[in-house]
Amino acid sequence: MSQKDYDMNPRWYVVHTYSGYENKVKTDLEKTIVNRELEDYFFDIIVPMEEQIEIKDGKKKTNLKKVFPGYVLIKMIVTEETWYIVRNTRGVTGFVGSGTDPIPLTDEEIRSMGFEDVNINIDYDINDQVQIMNGAFENFIGTVQEINKEKNKVKVLVSMFGRETPVELEFSQVQKIK
């Protein structure tokens, strides 16, 4: 890999660790990043946890449980040096991917895990004319009435049977008419 081949956009990667080493890997890696002054290449290191409520002897107890035991998620820019540092952190067995190439998570995977909001860039705005690309209203043309970025939904006014009908769709289902 030469310097010009690097993707300089930070992406999420999954690192496999020995079971029980997840938090140690996270703290060791954070120290190494500071020591080597590589903060510009590492953006986040997460050991995903979820609250688990346990009722024992009539008492409610809340525990934090690892969502993916044996895995640490790292948002980073992969270069020869950053790859080497992560790979050689004690407790790390390797990147999840094929062979030596770490494979970043897709936006879909990140969204489904819910630990980072992935902004979907849309090229249409309110009052723009759009065409519906798929679903029950495929090929219909309408006007964007509302955009809900939290839910990744768009409300489009479609003319049906002589009147305007609001239809809620996914961002990916509509395309701006150029």
Side-chain angles (χ1 to χ4, degrees):
M1 245 177 9
S2 67
Q3 186 63 44
K4 64 181 177 355
D5 293 337
Y6 299 137
D7 180 351
M8 293 314 280
N9 290 317
R11 296 193 189 285
W12 283 102
Y13 294 91
V14 180
V15 174
H16 195 264
T17 70
Y18 292 122
S19 191
Y21 273 76
E22 303 87 351
N23 291 323
K24 180 120 182 62
V25 164
K26 176 181 160 75
T27 50
D28 287 355
L29 200 47
E30 286 169 342
K31 283 181 200 151
T32 306
I33 291 163
V34 172
N35 290 342
R36 302 238 183 148
E37 298 180 357
L38 290 169
E39 294 93 340
D40 291 346
Y41 291 89
F42 290 90
F43 298 84
D44 212 346
I45 302 171
I46 297 178
V47 178
M49 306 289 260
E50 65 185 356
E51 277 190 2
Q52 196 176 39
I53 295 168
E54 198 178 301
I55 296 172
K56 205 171 177 179
D57 305 326
K59 290 188 175 73
K60 197 164 114 175
K61 197 173 132 196
T62 306
N63 292 325
L64 278 180
K65 181 177 171 270
K66 291 182 184 101
V67 180
F68 308 112
Y71 294 96
V72 175
L73 302 163
I74 305 176
K75 187 175 191 174
M76 62 183 282
I77 295 169
V78 171
T79 66
E80 204 81 42
E81 188 180 10
T82 61
W83 178 87
Y84 181 84
I85 284 169
V86 172
R87 191 71 193 74
N88 289 288
T89 297
R90 201 162 149 251
V92 170
T93 58
F95 277 94
V96 172
S98 62
T100 57
D101 289 339
I103 298 182
L105 292 172
T106 64
D107 287 351
E108 204 47 56
E109 290 167 325
I110 295 163
R111 236 192 328 279
S112 71
M113 288 182 199
F115 61 85
E116 184 185 75
D117 294 330
V118 177
N119 288 331
I120 298 177
N121 292 325
I122 49 174
D123 66 346
Y124 47 83
D125 225 321
I126 290 173
N127 295 327
D128 280 351
Q129 289 285 301
V130 292
Q131 181 174 357
I132 299 170
M133 303 311 292
N134 55 33
F137 300 98
E138 187 172 352
N139 295 326
F140 272 79
I141 292 183
T143 308
V144 176
Q145 184 184 23
E146 193 180 298
I147 296 172
N148 184 334
K149 291 207 182 224
E150 284 76 50
K151 291 186 178 160
N152 294 328
K153 300 266 189 200
V154 58
K155 200 174 277 178
V156 178
L157 276 183
V158 178
S159 184
M160 269 190 298
F161 313 118
R163 56 179 222 197
E164 301 277 287
T165 306
V167 180
E168 192 174 73
L169 301 157
E170 301 281 329
F171 281 170
S172 58
Q173 285 183 280
V174 299
Q175 186 177 334
K176 183 176 178 176
I177 298 172
K178 306 266 187 259

